[in-house]
Amino acid sequence: HDLMEGRELTAHQYCREHHIDYYVQDLLQLLALKPASVAPVEFIGSYFEGLLSGDQHLCGRDFSYVSATPLNRLAFASRVERALQPLVQKNGAPTLVSAVEFHQVLQGLLPDLPLTTVTEAAAATRPAEPPPAPELPPVDEGASSAAKEARRLLLLTDEQVRQPEVYALGDLLRSFRFCFVHSEFLEVVMVTLSQTESVTRRAVVSAVLARRERLFGVLFPPESALRAFAEGRGDEIATLQALVDELSRASTPAQESPKNEGFRHLPRVLEDVCHTDADRPAADTGAAVDRDRKKSRRPKSR
C-alpha cells in the first residue's frame, strides 16, 4: 500500500492514480519500433528516466500523448510558461493577444494543439480593454472616392465590425495552464454547475470534494485554495470564470505537481498487481466524469 494525500492506495489504485497503465502501454508500443541496436532494458530505463526528468519525454510527441495525463499536461504547461513569461509585458504595459494569436504561438511548441484548448481557457478569462484606435488624419476634399471609402471602413464601429476579444497575455497564460493541467477537475465542476442554474461557491466545492475520494488519476487544485474559494463568498453564485481566476492565482506549480516520484516505486507496484486481483476497487473513475459530461450541458462562463 502507498499513502497519497491521506488515502491508502492498493497497487491497482496506485497505478490508476499515476496513470502507470497508460505509460506501460505507450512503452510497449515504442518498444516495437525501437532500433534493433538498442537493448530493451536500456530503452525501458531511458523511457522512465525521461518521465522523471521534467518535460524531455514530450519531445516529438503529439497532442494525444501530451494531453493524456496530468503529468504530461503539467510538463507542457511549464514549457509554455517558460517560453512566454518574458513576453507578458512590453514597455511596462501588459501584452494583449487574441485567443487565435495565442493558439498560433502555442502551435510552435505543439503543432497539432486544438484551438478549443485555448478558446476554453479564454472563455474563463476576463477580457482586457482593447487598445484605442489610432487617430486618422483628415481626408482631403480632393481625395479619390477609393480613399474616402477606405476611411469610412476604418471608422466603422465595433457593432458594425466585431473585433476579436483580446486578453492580457499573463492572464490568458495563467488560465490556460490551470484549465489544461486540471481538465478532469473542471469536468467535475461543470457537471456540478450544469445540474442547476444557480449553484453557490460553497455547494460547488462541497460537491467536488465529496467526489474526490472516489476519483483516481485526477489532479485537483490544493484543498486550501478550494476552501478559500468557498469560504470567501460562500453564498455567491459560482461561475467558471471566477473559479478559474481565483484558483489559478492560488495554485503554485509546486502545489500542482502530480508527484511523478511515484514512478520510482514502479517495480514493486507492478509486482503487486501481477500477484493479486483481489483488491480491485469499485471506485469512481475519470470515465464516470465522461459519462456525466455527456449528460450535461456546458455552462456559460459569462
Side-chain angles (χ1 to χ4, degrees):
H1 294 331
D2 187 81
L3 197 63
M4 292 290 294
E5 298 182 356
R7 293 187 293 178
E8 190 178 69
L9 304 181
T10 66
H12 287 290
Q13 291 170 339
Y14 187 93
C15 286
R16 290 161 60 198
E17 180 75 19
H18 292 282
H19 298 269
I20 289 175
D21 56 341
Y22 175 83
Y23 288 111
V24 170
Q25 289 296 324
D26 181 63
L27 173 60
L28 292 176
Q29 293 177 8
L30 295 178
L31 272 172
L33 303 174
K34 75 171 183 63
S37 59
V38 179
V41 173
E42 179 183 345
F43 186 87
I44 294 171
S46 176
Y47 181 89
F48 284 105
E49 284 178 7
L51 289 176
L52 292 166
S53 65
D55 62 4
Q56 294 305 308
H57 65 294
L58 301 183
C59 293
R61 305 306 297 263
D62 60 9
F63 177 77
S64 64
Y65 177 83
V66 171
S67 62
T69 70
L71 174 63
N72 291 359
R73 294 195 300 272
L74 182 59
F76 178 72
S78 298
R79 177 181 289 184
V80 169
E81 202 163 48
R82 289 195 302 271
L84 298 187
Q85 194 62 43
L87 307 177
V88 165
Q89 287 198 334
K90 183 178 181 181
N91 299 327
T95 302
L96 302 182
V97 295
S98 67
V100 171
E101 291 169 337
F102 187 69
H103 175 249
Q104 291 171 344
V105 172
L106 296 189
Q107 284 184 304
L109 298 173
L110 187 60
D112 65 338
L113 180 79
L115 177 60
T116 53
T117 60
V118 174
T119 56
E120 288 174 359
T125 307
R126 188 181 301 278
E129 288 293 329
E135 293 187 7
L136 299 176
V139 174
D140 190 350
E141 289 297 329
S144 65
S145 58
K148 292 179 179 179
E149 176 64 12
R151 178 181 175 82
R152 186 188 71 82
L153 293 174
L154 288 172
L155 292 176
L156 288 176
T157 62
D158 286 344
E159 288 72 24
Q160 294 168 298
V161 178
R162 177 150 180 85
Q163 299 296 321
E165 288 185 316
V166 293
Y167 307 87
L169 177 57
D171 292 343
L172 188 53
L173 182 59
R174 188 179 63 252
S175 292
F176 171 79
R177 177 189 181 94
F178 186 87
C179 292
F180 190 59
V181 171
H182 296 285
S183 58
E184 296 102 342
F185 161 77
L186 289 177
E187 296 292 353
V188 178
V189 171
M190 288 176 181
V191 168
T192 303
L193 290 176
S194 67
Q195 291 173 348
T196 179
E197 292 184 358
S198 300
V199 186
T200 65
R201 290 172 171 235
R202 188 176 291 111
V204 168
V205 171
S206 177
V208 166
L209 291 179
R211 295 196 67 185
R212 184 177 188 178
E213 294 301 315
R214 298 180 288 124
L215 291 168
F216 296 95
V218 175
L219 183 60
F220 280 73
E223 186 170 336
S224 58
L226 288 170
R227 298 287 186 192
F229 176 78
E231 294 169 4
R233 289 169 287 176
D235 294 326
E236 182 178 289
I237 300 303
T239 66
L240 184 63
Q241 186 182 88
L243 182 137
V244 171
D245 180 64
E246 294 185 29
L247 294 185
S248 64
R249 293 177 186 275
S251 304
T252 66
Q255 290 173 314
E256 290 176 342
S257 172
K259 298 179 177 61
N260 55 348
E261 289 288 321
F263 288 105
R264 300 192 187 279
H265 307 296
L266 181 61
R268 175 177 58 81
V269 171
L270 292 182
E271 182 179 359
D272 289 346
V273 171
C274 292
H275 280 80
T276 178
D277 284 331
D279 55 0
R280 286 188 182 275
D284 195 0
T285 66
V289 176
D290 292 336
R291 290 195 298 272
D292 290 341
R293 178 179 57 178
K294 292 177 181 178
K295 299 177 182 177
S296 65
R297 174 176 56 86
R298 184 181 295 273
K300 294 181 180 179
S301 60
R302 294 193 296 272

